[in-house]
Amino acid sequence: MKVLIVDDEIFIRDGLRTLIDWSEAGFDEVLDAKNAVEAISIIEEGPPDLIVTDIFMPGISGLDFAKKIRSQHPHIRFVILTGYEKFEYAKEAIEIGVAKYLVKPIFPEELKETVKEIREEILLEYRLENWNEMAKTRLEQYKPIIAEKFWSDLLAGGLSSSSQIHDRAASADISLNYPAFCCVAIEICKLEKAYERYGQSELSLVRFVIRNIIEELHSQAIIYIYNHSDTVLLCVLSESGAIPQWTKTVETIQHTLKIDVNAGIGNSYEQLTSIWATSLEALDSVKYLAILEQTGIIRYEDIPAWKKDHVEYPYEEEKALLEMLRYREQLSEQALEPFMQKVMVQNPSPPMIHLTFVQLLGAIYRLVDEYGIDSIPTFNQSLSRLEELASYSQFQKLLTELLTEIIERRSRHHASFVSQLVDGAQQMIQARFNDSTLSVTSIAQSLCISPNYLSRIFHQQTGKTCVEFITECRLEEAKKLLLLTNRKNYEISEEVGYTSAHYFSSIFKKSVGHSPSEYRERFSTGSVQ
């Protein structure tokens, strides 16, 4: 391999030449250039595998130089050296595709380790290119469309009877004469790590390498490996999946590709018609690990029993979230924790988790409609994003982002936050005036403000105190009950929120000018119930 050192200072170039043993690091040819123009001339004669350059050089910067060269030779790796640890430079380096961004002074071990990692990446790329060529040939020779269609239908539950399965298998020249069947799902997790290393467009190539490793380590047991999705391979075996063997497989994949994978093992069955069942068990197993954001291997039979039919919906926690949306100026980082914990502690199945969050999403968007908030993702757009997610933290991140955006839009949409607080207090009083424990303090606590502040803004907005408004709501309801029912005064007293019938009569007479009995006699005009 060839490395090119580019720096306008000769002592830096000489220093980098001697800082490490380049030959030992796998680079048998070391060239140098004092500027970008000279470097470009060298590259035209024969592109190097690695370029080490300073970020600041006369004429053209190291970043611009890297950008120019990588546009023409994308396979060349770059290491950028700088004396300035600035985020903007690092961000631009990442966008360009620079392999490493090192801050001076550079120490031998640091450079040696960096060069080692880059060399391993280059070698892996060469191997992947070779494997890619092998894949194209092998797919053409050994994967006829009819066989692919058979496995696709079988693993999707489309073949329900043994005779149907045997007939379709025979037409595809597939033998299914095995004593038992078991499925193992291998899922690529932490996708951002895989994308960073290989790029999103190369995910199919990563799957192919995983497939090769599985076939090599389980050649006697593998019947078929099915691409269930972009990130999941479903392996059909002729024996039960053993934890030690598949642990070794997972470790080999992670060591070879430097990515994280999970493995889920379904139960073993003798019947052909149960291949679909064991495939669902394997898929549920990797879903379980994904939801808990764990990596590793698990058997379906070792998963704690899921609640598949019913999950107690956290209505109180939903109510608290919606009140935050109504009255808070910003969302705390832990705002969703009570709701999430109330759901997850029940150990729900993935479909039930999905339904729970769909229900929460519906409640959130009803509030959005109530406030007339626009310029946010539609309900269907948010629902589509929700269906794409697989883990606890992804659910939480999506909802936190949505709630935060709603709060920001609500704050802009409503002219006065004070008016919102007073409206909220009035709505709360109108809904709960019959609660004898209702007070200015309890209302203020629900709105996350102090009682004094609530009293002040309530009087400013309405011209009356909170207590006067509570009394007004209670007495209006009492008037209705006096005229429309034949209930006793003490019953009406309790129903509108007073624990003392004597106090109720006293305040009624003081406010209305008549005692409850006098009011009923004087104003009642029809039959009562």
Side-chain angles (χ1 to χ4, degrees), residues 2-15:
K2 185 192 300 184
V3 61
L4 173 60
I5 299 170
V6 185
D7 198 289
D8 59 323
E9 296 181 20
I10 188 170
F11 75 91
I12 295 292
R13 298 199 300 274
D14 291 341

Side-chain angles (χ1 to χ4, degrees), residues 139-188:
L139 285 170
E140 290 176 1
Q141 293 176 348
Y142 301 108
K143 301 232 176 168
I145 295 175
I146 191 170
E148 177 75 18
K149 178 62 175 170
F150 164 75
W151 287 108
S152 174
D153 291 345
L154 178 61
L155 296 173
L159 305 178
S160 56
S161 67
S162 294
S163 60
Q164 192 179 18
I165 295 172
H166 274 299
D167 291 345
R168 286 284 302 275
S171 67
D173 198 23
I174 295 171
S175 173
L176 292 175
N177 296 320
Y178 301 102
F181 302 93
C182 173
C183 283
V184 175
I186 300 293
E187 180 175 30
I188 304 168

Side-chain angles (χ1 to χ4, degrees), residues 216-502:
E216 182 178 342
L217 295 179
H218 302 272
S219 58
Q220 300 300 314
I222 287 291
I223 302 174
Y224 191 75
I225 302 176
Y226 176 66
N227 287 328
H228 178 266
S229 69
D230 287 344
T231 58
V232 178
L233 290 175
L234 196 56
C235 310
V236 184
L237 311 180
S238 60
E239 61 182 30
S240 61
I243 287 285
Q245 294 175 5
W246 285 93
T247 299
K248 179 183 177 183
T249 304
V250 168
E251 291 173 349
T252 302
I253 293 169
Q254 293 181 155
H255 177 75
T256 302
L257 291 173
K258 303 296 188 296
I259 61 173
D260 294 307
V261 297
N262 284 335
I265 302 175
N267 290 318
S268 179
Y269 297 95
E270 295 180 0
Q271 301 84 4
L272 278 173
T273 51
S274 295
I275 292 177
W276 181 42
T278 183
S279 73
L280 293 179
E281 292 170 355
L283 293 170
D284 277 349
S285 299
V286 290
K287 283 180 185 176
Y288 177 80
L289 292 174
I291 288 169
L292 298 182
E293 297 183 296
Q294 295 178 357
T295 54
I297 181 169
I298 191 170
R299 297 182 302 181
Y300 181 79
E301 63 186 38
D302 294 331
I303 297 174
W306 274 333
K307 281 191 176 180
K308 297 179 182 293
D309 301 322
H310 174 72
V311 169
E312 184 182 343
Y313 187 78
Y315 287 102
E316 288 300 318
E317 287 73 15
E318 177 199 274
K319 181 180 177 183
L321 272 176
L322 296 181
E323 287 187 350
M324 287 183 195
L325 283 181
R326 290 180 186 277
Y327 309 121
R328 293 284 182 89
E329 283 295 279
Q330 61 183 20
L331 198 69
S332 67
E333 294 181 0
Q334 293 78 32
L336 274 162
E337 279 299 324
F339 185 94
M340 304 290 284
Q341 289 176 4
K342 190 70 174 287
V343 174
M344 299 307 293
V345 75
Q346 299 178 66
N347 201 32
S349 64
M352 291 309 301
I353 293 174
H354 178 260
L355 286 175
T356 301
F357 285 111
V358 169
Q359 185 170 341
L360 175 61
L361 209 58
I364 291 170
Y365 272 89
R366 282 193 294 274
L367 184 65
V368 166
D369 289 341
E370 178 185 328
Y371 277 96
I373 299 171
D374 52 15
S375 302
I376 64 168
T378 65
F379 174 79
N380 287 334
Q381 288 171 335
S382 294
L383 185 59
S384 296
R385 285 188 61 194
L386 184 68
E387 291 172 345
E388 294 170 359
L389 305 182
S391 72
Y392 175 94
S393 68
Q394 289 175 335
F395 290 142
Q396 192 165 12
K397 182 181 178 184
L398 169 64
L399 290 170
T400 300
E401 289 175 352
L402 179 62
L403 294 175
T404 300
E405 186 172 2
I406 290 171
I407 287 176
E408 291 175 354
R409 298 287 180 184
R410 185 214 68 205
S411 297
R412 297 193 201 113
H413 185 76
H414 292 274
S416 170
F417 179 58
V418 168
S419 294
Q420 294 176 49
L421 288 173
V422 173
D423 289 345
Q426 288 179 314
Q427 291 172 19
M428 204 173 299
I429 291 168
Q430 289 166 344
R432 295 175 50 200
F433 66 79
N434 57 352
D435 180 356
S436 61
T437 65
L438 185 69
S439 66
V440 176
T441 300
S442 65
I443 297 168
Q445 286 176 344
S446 297
L447 297 175
C448 304
I449 57 177
S450 71
N452 288 339
Y453 180 65
L454 174 59
S455 297
R456 185 169 69 253
I457 62 173
F458 195 100
H459 189 267
Q460 288 172 349
Q461 292 285 313
T462 67
K464 60 187 73 172
T465 67
C466 275
V467 173
E468 287 171 346
F469 188 73
I470 294 171
T471 301
E472 180 179 298
C473 291
R474 287 173 172 171
L475 295 185
E476 284 301 314
E477 180 66 14
K479 288 177 184 179
K480 293 178 185 176
L481 294 174
L482 285 166
L483 298 181
L484 299 177
T485 73
N486 58 5
R487 295 176 197 171
K488 304 293 186 183
N489 287 352
Y490 73 86
E491 292 176 325
I492 294 175
S493 168
E494 291 177 356
E495 192 160 340
V496 298
Y498 292 107
T499 56
S500 168
H502 177 73

